[in-house]
Amino acid sequence: MTLTWDMQDAKSTDDRDVVLEVKDLRVHYATPLGDVIACNGISFKVYEGETVGLVGESGCGKTTTAMGVLRLVQPPGRIVEGEVLLDGVDVLSLNEEELRRVRWNQISLIPQGAMNSLNPVMRVKDQIGDAIQTHESRAREAVKERILELLNLVGLPARVYNMYPHELSGGMKQRVCIAMAIALNPSLVIADEFTSALDVIVQRVVAQTMLDVKDRLGMSMILIGHDMGLQAQLVDRIAVMYAGNIVEIAPVEDIFEESLHPYTQLLIESIPSIKERKPLKVTEGLTHDLRNPPPGCIFQFRCPYVMEHCREVEPPLRELKPLHEVACHLFEEQDGKIVDISDESVV
Amino acid sequence: MRGLTPGYLIRRLGMFVLTVWLGATLIFIIPRLAPSDPVAAMVSRLLAQSGSVEGSAEMIEAWRARFGLDAPPLIQYLRYMRNMLTFNLGYSLTSFPSEVEDMVVRALPWTLGVLSIATVVSFVLGNTVGALLAWRRTPGLVRTLLPLSFTFTAIPFFMLGILLIYIFAFGLDWFPVSGAYGRALTHNWNWEFVKSVIHHGTLPALSIVVTSMGFWGLGMRGMMITTDGEDYMILAQAKGLHPRRIFWLYGVRNALLPQFTALALNLGLIAGGSVLVEYIFAYPGMGYLLYQGIVNTDYTLIQGIVFIMIMGTALGVLMIDLLYPFIDPRITYETR
């Protein structure tokens, strides 16, 4: 694992600053039958101004990873080890008060369930207001001005200021959450499936709002979701997760045009096309018991190209070309080209 | 007036009047279905006391006429309703010529004082303890000790009352055994008198607080655990709010809503007094009065007290219905 990171540093060190660096994050959920490994040594970086997509099927650990980064893993879950360097400071080693100050100032969250993420008995102004006033001492008038500005930024009318959450539609609530998340200009915003509770029309509108806001403010983002189409429009790089591991991470064009990992390919094939009628591809086999992963590759039970080697040795996440990392035995780098070793063809 | 419309107010008040009317009608009908005749019962009691009463038959007739029991039922009912409307609760049957109204007016303040203070204290304490029990940040030691305060819930309050009298009144002599104020004092509101009232009211109130706290606490604990799992609690944490603010404004504020409904019903019952507590402490409130009424088969007294209880409950529910839009913004009586 260390080797991988050294390679990346050597090859593709960007001019851009690293906003977030997650190193070997492990989150376990305690169950009576042993720990479920929801996050099995996740490592990735988010650069300044960049949006990283985190995709994968339900239960693969996307949200757990996000909650780990925010240090908000709820019991029975716990962060076992790892480092979460936010602007160079390890969030996991801060004390309660330091952590409280970092939250929302530097890292904010657009939650998964916008429907229930607003306190039902507080007005919108008070809920955005308390996030601002906890961290900054501003005059009441200045706070009001800021909230109205934020509402305007996400395309909400000013009357929302005085409203209660139940008076808003789902899309409006989600936009209030977006406004709240950017209230303090954090360096990183984590959006956890922020459109999943909305219908497609509203999804589009909210996604558009998100794009506008992102362009204007230029903050870094982690966008969690399983909607590959939405990801394609919104993110710069995609990290594909499977069973608590990142199996491939690459710029978004690479993922769609020359994805390497068999799981990523399956994910992309599963996107329905309106141009052609194709049979739905279903992978056989189930994900292994997350309580005790098998030796070797975690995808071996569902992989169509599984080899003997895959059942014995765990494939490390390797950078096969600049910014494109994959954890799979199928590929080797030969003379600057990626070769599929099963049939010796150049990818 | 958020959520309250004149239309709703009128409908709700109509409902209140209907409830009280139905209740009053029931307490008119039920005693008349009973086979015993209160006047005959009274005369036979007199007979038993003095051996013989001259002209007892005429006496019964005279009294029936005096109490209006010779009129046809409909006339009796109309008279009864008129009396109830004007709060004319009639004469007590056993302590004639005292009027029920005067007896109730004398007893009601004691009951309202002790019971409403005890209920409010119990509500505040119980809910705070319950919320702290469910709160993850509560220190472990506190969380181990707090449930002890609920063990008293298992003891009936009259048992606890006896225990309190035994320990604090007889044993330690800290508090008086009975009554509402010192015998030597006259009924006027100077400091001496107030002190005596507080001194006398402490034990009865304490027995109610300690035993009813668990009811609020356990309910609150359950509600708080549910609330703690809500998405807005996680977002509040992510916002980096002070834990105290999250606890009170996000947690308790939401978990408390169902508790208010229960409180309203409880407040309604206060007017009826707590019979056993007042009996044990010989506290001259409504409960004690009701006890005496039942023991002496004083129908008019019982009827008057029950009517006050019906009024109290109906008022409590009316109050909470009108207050609810202010407590929970999601509730509105506006029709859109």
Side-chain angles (χ1 to χ4, degrees), chain A residues 72 74-75 96 100 103-104 109 111 113 116-123 127 130-131 134-135 164 166-167 180, chain B residues 2 136-137 228 230-232 234-235 237-243 245 249-250 253-254 257 327-330 336:
Chain A
L72 275 176
Q74 304 291 311
E96 289 275 316
R100 199 184 67 69
R103 282 178 174 163
W104 227 252
L109 169 73
N116 309 315
S117 290
L118 296 171
N119 185 348
V121 297
M122 278 171 81
R123 289 175 198 274
Q127 299 197 49
D130 69 1
T134 310
H135 297 287
Y164 282 99
H166 71 273
E167 299 172 298
M180 193 145 68
Chain B
R2 193 181 66 229
R136 237 179 264 143
R137 286 165 171 280
D228 208 22
E230 295 283 349
D231 291 338
Y232 54 78
I234 294 171
L235 192 66
Q237 249 179 297
K239 274 156 77 174
L241 300 179
H242 284 283
R245 187 178 175 87
L249 259 80
Y250 286 73
R253 179 71 176 76
N254 279 291
L257 296 174
I327 299 168
D328 186 345
R330 282 165 297 184
R336 294 182 201 181

Side-chain angles (χ1 to χ4, degrees), chain B residues 52-265:
Chain B
S52 72
V53 174
E54 234 173 287
S56 61
E58 291 87 55
M59 203 166 178
I60 290 176
E61 277 317 303
W63 277 10
R64 286 178 72 92
R66 180 75 191 80
F67 286 108
L69 293 173
D70 54 349
L74 185 67
I75 301 296
Q76 282 190 43
Y77 177 68
L78 289 175
R79 277 188 197 149
Y80 162 81
M81 284 318 281
R82 189 191 61 208
N83 287 340
M84 286 295 153
L85 280 178
T86 51
F87 276 97
N88 178 5
L89 301 177
Y91 291 99
S92 160
L93 284 181
T94 43
S95 0
F96 188 82
S98 349
E99 285 186 54
V100 172
E101 196 188 327
D102 295 334
M103 295 166 84
V104 166
V105 165
R106 244 179 289 132
L108 197 58
W110 298 115
T111 287
L112 285 183
V114 168
L115 277 187
S116 48
I117 289 171
T119 305
V120 169
V121 168
S122 162
F123 182 79
V124 171
L125 273 180
N127 280 310
T128 310
V129 169
L132 282 174
L133 275 180
W135 187 236
R136 237 179 264 143
R137 286 165 171 280
T138 309
L141 182 71
V142 179
R143 243 201 285 196
T144 325
L145 289 178
L146 284 181
L148 287 178
S149 61
F150 291 168
T151 50
F152 293 105
T153 308
I155 307 173
F157 53 83
F158 49 88
M159 287 288 288
L160 190 80
I162 293 170
L163 206 68
L164 287 176
I165 291 179
Y166 182 73
I167 297 171
F168 294 106
F170 281 116
L172 298 169
D173 202 17
W174 288 356
F175 293 102
V177 178
S178 66
Y181 51 89
R183 277 170 210 282
L185 295 167
T186 46
H187 198 314
N188 76 48
W189 290 102
N190 54 30
W191 174 233
E192 191 83 0
F193 184 72
V194 172
K195 223 166 58 181
S196 172
V197 167
I198 294 173
H199 199 205
H200 281 73
T202 306
L203 282 189
L206 197 66
S207 75
I208 295 170
V209 168
V210 169
T211 50
S212 63
M213 233 177 86
F215 167 78
W216 299 114
L218 292 176
M220 186 61 178
R221 182 177 167 273
M223 283 310 302
M224 193 68 182
I225 287 172
T226 314
T227 307
D228 208 22
E230 295 283 349
D231 291 338
Y232 54 78
M233 292 297 279
I234 294 171
L235 192 66
Q237 249 179 297
K239 274 156 77 174
L241 300 179
H242 284 283
R244 218 172 296 146
R245 187 178 175 87
I246 301 178
F247 178 73
W248 290 109
L249 259 80
Y250 286 73
V252 173
R253 179 71 176 76
N254 279 291
L256 208 55
L257 296 174
Q259 298 290 87
F260 272 118
T261 312
L263 179 67
L265 295 174

